[in-house]
Amino acid sequence: MTSVPTLSNTQARRLFLERHLLSGLEPGPGRGADLLSVIQRLGFVQLDSINTVARAHDLILFARRPSYRPRNLELLLERDRTIFEHWTHDAAVIPVDFRPHWTWKCDRDAALLRGRYKKWRQHEFEHLLDQIEARIAAEGPLCSADLERDTPRKSGGWWDWHPGKTALEYLWRCGRVSVTRRVAFRKYYDLSARVLPDQALRAPDCDIPDWACGGALDRLGFATPKELAAFWDVISLSEARAWVSDALRRGEVIEVDIESVDGSLRRSVARPDVIEAAASAASPTGRIRVLSPFDPALRDRARAERLFGFVYRIEVFVPEAKRRYGYYVFPLLEGDRLIGRIDMKADRAAGILRVTGLWPETGVQFGKARKARLESELTRVARFAGCQDVTFAPDWERAP
């Protein structure tokens, strides 16, 4: 019987971080073709509206390209049309070259969400679909606010969509309209044929599970069937399991045991050269980086806990009195370790990044040298957020 190779925890972390472009600081202007390459290598970048320091997608890209600026992403979407917005596990920007594979997801979403939206939103919206699509065809791009007068919401609550918004989101999720631009983060939709190139709207000429699982595995380095299915959220778990079985039989992947930070082993699959790839993975830079809570390296919280021993829960929806850390706390990466988390907010009116709390991980000391590296990174983040200075609350250094 062939023995199953093992990746040590250090090897696994370094390979994982290299695949997520968090090892060295690669040179690049963070715009145009270089920025598109970053998104292609990551697969997609999650979008989020919270802007306490910078929006999630902007901080994700800034952590990998310090010269990146938000306008650079807007140009890829609105002018170059080399990325598009749609859904993975959440809203994301995705290379337009991948859009044919989303015809599969759009078809599934069309069937799945029709019932879900009616249940969740507690109103009828289907009779509006053709009407809204015709209005967009005649008038050009529309946002949900343009439809609210004709289809008002019941309660006016933030999460209580009005029927027009529900219909618009449904048209987007099933591929009939696409996001053409954002204004103050508000999405404007146009007919997909007017937003995306013809080839992007054609059905793919490959096997979808093979593309999805192979692409996910190459971006993760190693994975379980569940992690492969969850990466793009385009295929089902049963389809990922079937792909793994077939790929093992064909010799395209091998089984490998991944050592967790506690020494336990987790059986995964990887490409046959995974041992060599892990051995040649670059040693991560010692520079401290502020990560978004939605960074792709942290999206799977359970995997981050296994690999790095880092337990992270976002507390946006936790009542203030019950929060352990803060509203929107940022993880800190140093080398191949997550060394702590920091609570801060950009006061753009005053031009100040206000740091209110730092919680080191157990066993991590913020001595003079490490604190200097942190302050250098905070200065870079402050400038990125449009601030000129960084201030620290009197009790900002907290116990682990």
Side-chain angles (χ1 to χ4, degrees):
M1 180 180 292
T2 304
S3 62
V4 175
T6 299
L7 281 187
S8 71
N9 182 246
T10 297
Q11 290 175 315
R13 280 186 280 123
R14 291 189 175 184
L15 177 60
F16 184 75
L17 290 173
E18 182 180 72
R19 296 297 171 90
H20 285 79
L21 311 184
L22 288 173
S23 292
L25 281 171
E26 299 181 6
R31 64 179 182 273
D34 175 66
L35 181 59
L36 177 61
S37 174
V38 171
I39 300 170
Q40 288 172 328
R41 291 164 67 187
L42 293 175
F44 60 89
V45 172
Q46 183 175 340
L47 298 166
D48 192 73
S49 62
I50 297 175
N51 196 17
T52 56
V53 173
R55 300 197 195 277
H57 44 284
D58 291 324
L59 196 57
I60 289 168
L61 295 168
F62 177 71
R64 291 155 174 84
R65 289 291 190 273
S67 56
Y68 165 80
R69 293 299 179 267
R71 179 58 180 160
N72 301 347
L73 187 66
E74 294 172 2
L75 291 174
L76 293 188
L77 176 72
E78 300 171 11
R79 183 192 68 187
D80 302 342
R81 303 297 191 195
T82 52
I83 59 173
F84 72 103
E85 285 196 28
H86 209 267
W87 210 260
T88 54
H89 64 289
D90 212 316
V93 288
I94 308 161
V96 78
D97 288 347
F98 301 166
R99 177 58 177 78
H101 304 91
W102 256 251
T103 58
W104 172 283
K105 185 173 179 63
C106 288
D107 289 345
R108 287 190 170 185
D109 283 354
L112 181 66
L113 294 179
R114 190 177 292 268
R116 283 188 180 178
Y117 275 10
K118 290 173 71 173
K119 180 179 179 180
W120 291 343
R121 304 306 170 192
Q122 297 295 305
H123 55 233
E124 295 294 331
F125 69 92
E126 293 166 286
H127 66 287
L128 297 170
L129 297 175
D130 291 342
Q131 173 186 327
I132 290 174
E133 190 171 14
R135 183 174 168 186
I136 291 173
E139 299 179 20
L142 297 176
C143 68
S144 63
D146 295 323
L147 306 172
E148 187 166 9
R149 178 185 298 177
D150 299 326
T151 59
R153 59 168 60 93
K154 293 178 181 178
S155 68
W158 176 257
W159 295 108
D160 185 17
W161 291 359
H162 58 82
K165 179 174 174 61
T166 304
L168 196 52
E169 289 289 314
Y170 181 82
L171 288 168
W172 173 54
R173 291 290 295 272
C174 69
R176 291 164 63 177
V177 303
S178 295
V179 176
T180 185
R181 68 178 187 274
R182 283 183 180 261
V183 178
F185 210 64
R186 184 187 295 274
K187 291 181 293 203
Y188 281 77
Y189 304 84
D190 201 352
L191 301 180
S192 291
R194 296 200 298 221
V195 176
L196 300 171
D198 291 343
Q199 63 268 26
L201 298 173
R202 296 172 187 159
D205 57 359
C206 66
D207 179 74
I208 295 291
D210 184 59
W211 174 86
C213 289
L217 185 59
D218 291 338
R219 288 169 173 83
L220 294 172
F222 47 84
T224 65
K226 184 177 180 181
E227 290 166 343
L228 293 176
F231 184 84
W232 309 100
D233 195 26
V234 167
I235 62 170
S236 67
L237 177 56
S238 63
E239 288 166 329
R241 285 173 173 159
W243 181 85
V244 167
S245 178
D246 290 344
L248 284 168
R249 187 175 61 253
R250 295 191 300 262
E252 295 174 2
V253 302
I254 62 171
E255 291 185 316
V256 60
D257 284 332
I258 306 300
E259 183 185 27
S260 300
V261 73
D262 64 1
S264 63
L265 299 179
R266 182 176 177 84
R267 184 64 53 88
S268 300
V269 295
R271 296 298 187 188
D273 65 348
V274 64
I275 301 300
E276 294 79 6
S280 63
S283 298
T285 176
R287 174 177 172 174
I288 293 176
R289 295 191 229 201
V290 174
L291 299 184
S292 162
F294 299 107
D295 194 280
L298 298 171
R299 177 172 67 86
D300 186 330
R301 307 293 195 216
R303 182 171 54 212
E305 188 172 343
R306 289 193 305 271
L307 282 180
F308 301 97
F310 189 73
V311 180
Y312 184 83
R313 302 291 182 271
I314 194 164
E315 297 182 294
V316 168
F317 300 111
V318 176
E320 185 173 1
K322 295 183 178 181
R323 290 176 189 150
R324 182 177 179 185
Y325 300 109
Y327 173 76
Y328 197 82
V329 174
F330 300 86
L332 297 174
L333 176 71
E334 180 187 56
D336 63 0
R337 300 173 65 195
L338 288 159
I339 60 170
R341 63 202 80 203
I342 191 165
D343 188 21
M344 55 187 177
K345 184 174 182 179
D347 181 346
R348 294 180 178 83
I352 297 172
L353 179 66
R354 302 188 187 278
V355 178
T356 55
L358 166 70
W359 293 265
E361 287 292 278
T362 301
V364 175
Q365 300 294 322
F366 274 79
K368 184 176 180 180
R370 179 172 278 145
K371 193 177 294 184
R373 291 197 299 275
L374 173 62
E375 290 177 359
S376 293
E377 176 68 2
L378 293 178
T379 297
R380 288 187 286 267
V381 170
R383 290 171 182 164
F384 181 67
C387 299
Q388 292 75 50
D389 296 306
V390 181
T391 63
F392 299 86
D395 60 344
W396 74 284
E397 295 183 75
R398 313 289 180 85

